Amino acid sequence: IEQPTFPKITEMCVKMIRRVNDEEGIKKLVNETFQKLWFTPTPHHDKEAMTRKILNITDVVAACRDTGYDWFEQLLQNLLKSEEDASYKPVKKACTQLVDNLVEHILKYEESLSDSDNKGVNSGRLVACITTLFLFSKIRPQLMVKHAMTMQPYLTTKCSTQNDFMVICNVAKILELVVPLMEHPSETFLATIEEDLMKLIIKYGMTVVQHCVSCLGAVVNKVTQNYKFVWACFNRYYGALSKLKSQHQEDPNSTILTANKPALLRSLFTVGALCRHFDFDQEDFKGNSKVNIKDKVLELLMYFTKHSDEEVQTKAIIGLGFAFIQHPSLMFEQEVKTLYNSILSDKNCSVNLKIQVLKNLQTYLQEEDTRMQQADRDWKKVAKQEDLKEMGDISSGMSSSIMQLYLKQVLEAFFHNQSNVRHFALNVIALTLNQGLIHPVQCVPYLIAMGTDPEPSMRNKADQQLVEIDKKYAGFIHV
């Protein structure tokens, strides 16, 4: 604060901000420091101070690119929550200033790039600015509503570097949160977003497809109801899969299939991603047709899990994982139980397939947790006398039943010789325990055994789970 030009400021901020979840005394100190440093309103005439603040925040965000941004979200939530009941809200005002000036900074930066020959050289700064805007949108999406139309053109960024892809993904994530909050957005603006997203889905790889389908889900399901547009896209990839399945059944060694492998991989992934965000069994999509789309998709994806090519199997399992988020009941199907349990328990099965099954379970649990938190927030807002506990019990009841199906095999994966398999197995168990889906007595012996794991991070996480269990069930563990 006293020496804003000191060269080690970014490094110091990174070290301090990671202590945002420490014990109360340190947490309070971190909150107060960053409130003074970043989240105190800046006088409007002091452009230099505002620019310095923006460069500092985006430098810290850029420095944390590989370690994650949980600290920023936690810090922002702590500070905004502390002034919820106050009449004067300096943090909220400072956030509005920061967001507005970040957008202005991006526009000026783009202008300077268009006059320069070094277009790719400084794009790391653009990524950091847009990532910071996404982090604000995640906590307070209302701050970005007036800037949504400014963000939309970035969906048409020409992708040649990793930074370009990050810009597109973060803009898609911002629009996903912000567009549903806009009052009477123009039809042209909405149609342009839908078309831009569709072009990106058709053209680019998995990460872009995932974020763009998710954004399209928010725009179509919550705003435009343009179901025909999505149905046409789904049929394009579903039809391609059906055709490739028929060709494979006729001649598994056909050269046509080898030539069409990229199209097959893309179709498996995209059909799954679309099924995650859209329920194609609704009349809005399939009209009066009696065909059960989810069963048809399950049949198609299951067919390709038996393919001889491991890459095809993996993409089919990823597609299944996506579909199960929209339709968790499919995980009770006998063929799915057999597939998941055989992959997890077979010692000779590929490590990649084991990891993918564990990732599918992890993503499902994370998504369920997010749904429950959202339901809780919605209920608190409305404050009606609904039995929310009962609503939650229905959802967690299904999650609990699903985890019981695969629990033994996931726990056995604690002893796999590959640390990646152990890592994902432990993540699944941690989520299962944190959501109270199983009784800890089923896991404690395995967690204690994990205490001798060669990887320090795994030992620490297992110990942390045991401490949590002991807190929750006082004196439950006697080691």
Side-chain angles (χ1 to χ4, degrees):
I1 294 168
E2 298 299 324
Q3 299 182 48
T5 56
F6 184 61
K8 295 268 186 186
I9 282 183
T10 302
E11 196 183 322
M12 289 159 67
C13 286
V14 169
K15 285 184 176 168
M16 277 192 293
I17 210 161
R18 286 190 182 142
R19 308 288 298 274
V20 75
N21 285 321
D22 267 20
E23 64 263 24
E24 279 308 310
I26 292 174
K27 185 176 171 179
K28 186 170 180 282
L29 199 59
V30 170
N31 288 341
E32 284 170 1
T33 303
F34 283 98
Q35 179 157 6
K36 282 180 195 162
L37 196 61
W38 291 350
F39 298 105
T40 299
T42 309
H44 286 290
H45 60 81
D46 198 346
K47 290 286 180 191
E48 194 184 327
M50 181 51 80
T51 303
R52 242 193 343 258
K53 203 185 272 193
I54 282 170
L55 292 175
N56 181 218
I57 294 175
T58 52
D59 279 341
V60 173
V61 167
C64 295
R65 181 168 161 172
D66 298 325
T67 52
Y69 305 112
D70 290 354
W71 52 266
F72 188 92
E73 293 169 37
Q74 194 60 57
L75 177 69
L76 200 48
Q77 276 172 332
N78 291 350
L79 293 174
L80 287 164
K81 195 174 181 185
S82 69
E83 63 176 30
E84 254 175 10
D85 301 323
S87 53
Y88 176 57
K89 301 180 189 290
V91 176
K92 189 181 174 187
K93 188 181 176 184
C95 287
T96 306
Q97 277 187 341
L98 285 167
V99 166
D100 293 349
N101 280 277
L102 270 164
V103 173
E104 197 181 311
H105 190 78
I106 289 169
L107 294 173
K108 281 182 185 166
Y109 180 71
E110 284 285 283
E111 225 172 86
S112 68
L113 276 189
S114 61
D115 302 331
S116 139
D117 296 328
N118 303 325
K119 290 200 177 182
V121 174
N122 293 316
S123 59
R125 173 70 64 191
L126 177 65
V127 173
C129 287
I130 291 179
T131 305
T132 309
L133 285 175
F134 163 62
L135 295 172
F136 275 111
S137 304
K138 215 172 167 186
I139 306 301
R140 282 289 184 277
Q142 298 85 350
L143 294 171
M144 277 297 290
V145 167
K146 65 179 177 182
H147 301 297
M149 292 180 81
T150 309
M151 289 289 106
Q152 175 269 320
Y154 289 93
L155 289 176
T156 59
T157 302
K158 285 193 174 70
C159 288
S160 53
T161 67
Q162 187 60 33
N163 281 338
D164 297 332
F165 286 111
M166 288 186 76
V167 165
I168 281 180
C169 291
N170 279 311
V171 169
K173 290 192 280 187
I174 290 168
L175 293 172
E176 177 181 345
L177 294 163
V178 171
V179 172
L181 302 178
M182 294 173 76
E183 283 185 34
H184 315 298
S186 83
E187 286 186 21
T188 312
F189 167 68
L190 295 170
T192 307
I193 286 183
E194 287 178 340
E195 283 162 24
D196 289 344
L197 291 169
M198 194 59 76
K199 283 174 191 166
L200 292 165
I201 290 163
I202 291 163
K203 189 173 180 182
Y204 291 116
M206 286 197 299
T207 309
V208 173
V209 169
Q210 215 169 327
H211 291 305
C212 289
V213 171
S214 187
C215 182
L216 191 65
V219 172
V220 172
N221 289 326
K222 296 176 183 176
V223 186
T224 67
Q225 276 84 51
N226 191 357
Y227 299 116
K228 281 183 181 173
F229 184 68
V230 179
W231 182 239
C233 176
F234 171 76
N235 275 306
R236 170 185 181 151
Y237 289 106
Y238 178 83
L241 272 188
S242 298
K243 192 177 173 187
L244 289 164
K245 178 190 170 187
S246 302
Q247 288 171 345
H248 187 259
Q249 283 173 322
E250 284 169 27
D251 179 9
N253 302 314
S254 165
T255 52
I256 299 172
L257 283 169
T258 313
N260 283 324
K261 184 180 167 183
L264 171 57
L265 296 175
R266 176 175 284 279
S267 298
L268 288 166
F269 186 87
T270 310
V271 162
L274 287 164
C275 286
R276 175 178 181 169
H277 296 283
F278 299 97
D279 181 0
F280 291 108
D281 280 309
Q282 286 180 354
E283 204 175 303
D284 295 316
F285 289 106
K286 65 177 187 178
N288 298 323
S289 169
K290 295 285 182 278
V291 176
N292 189 314
I293 303 294
K294 73 173 187 290
D295 290 348
K296 287 284 181 189
V297 168
L298 178 66
E299 187 188 321
L300 255 185
L301 294 174
M302 284 300 299
Y303 178 82
F304 286 104
T305 61
K306 300 172 183 72
H307 200 280
S308 56
D309 185 320
E310 191 186 302
E311 206 179 347
V312 173
Q313 287 178 289
T314 306
K315 282 289 189 294
I317 291 169
I318 291 172
L320 282 172
F322 286 152
F324 296 159
I325 289 168
Q326 180 71 244
H327 302 289
S329 59
L330 291 175
M331 279 191 267
F332 294 110
E333 295 290 330
Q334 188 54 50
E335 57 183 335
V336 175
K337 288 192 283 185
T338 305
L339 173 75
Y340 271 24
N341 283 330
S342 62
I343 288 173
L344 290 173
S345 57
D346 184 354
K347 287 184 172 63
N348 301 316
C349 188
S350 147
V351 166
N352 289 336
L353 296 183
K354 285 183 192 292
I355 288 172
Q356 193 51 59
V357 167
L358 290 167
K359 276 184 179 175
N360 282 5
L361 292 171
Q362 178 181 308
T363 309
Y364 163 69
L365 290 169
Q366 286 167 336
E367 201 72 16
E368 278 301 301
D369 192 39
T370 305
R371 276 184 203 173
M372 290 303 299
Q373 285 178 21
Q374 188 57 49
D376 194 32
R377 280 195 296 271
D378 291 347
W379 179 78
K380 279 175 183 166
K381 273 183 203 166
V382 178
K384 284 182 181 171
Q385 298 305 307
E386 291 179 32
D387 187 357
L388 183 72
K389 186 178 184 306
E390 192 178 309
M391 286 161 55
D393 286 347
I394 295 163
S395 184
S396 61
M398 181 176 281
S399 303
S400 179
S401 303
I402 286 166
M403 286 318 300
Q404 290 295 347
L405 293 176
Y406 306 109
L407 184 64
K408 183 176 180 289
Q409 283 74 15
V410 173
L411 287 169
E412 291 297 333
F414 275 25
F415 305 112
H416 197 276
N417 57 9
Q418 289 280 339
S419 64
N420 273 353
V421 175
R422 301 198 302 276
H423 167 79
F424 283 106
L426 186 53
N427 281 355
V428 171
I429 293 303
L431 283 163
T432 308
L433 285 168
N434 292 344
Q435 291 177 39
L437 302 178
I438 54 172
H439 195 282
V441 74
Q442 295 171 278
C443 303
V444 166
Y446 292 89
L447 289 167
I448 292 170
M450 185 66 94
T452 61
D453 195 280
E455 299 276 336
S457 62
M458 231 85 80
R459 293 199 298 272
N460 292 341
K461 193 162 184 181
D463 288 346
Q464 198 183 334
Q465 285 303 313
L466 288 167
V467 168
E468 288 299 319
I469 290 168
D470 213 34
K471 266 190 212 165
K472 200 171 179 182
Y473 303 88
F476 179 77
I477 301 164
H478 305 284
V479 183

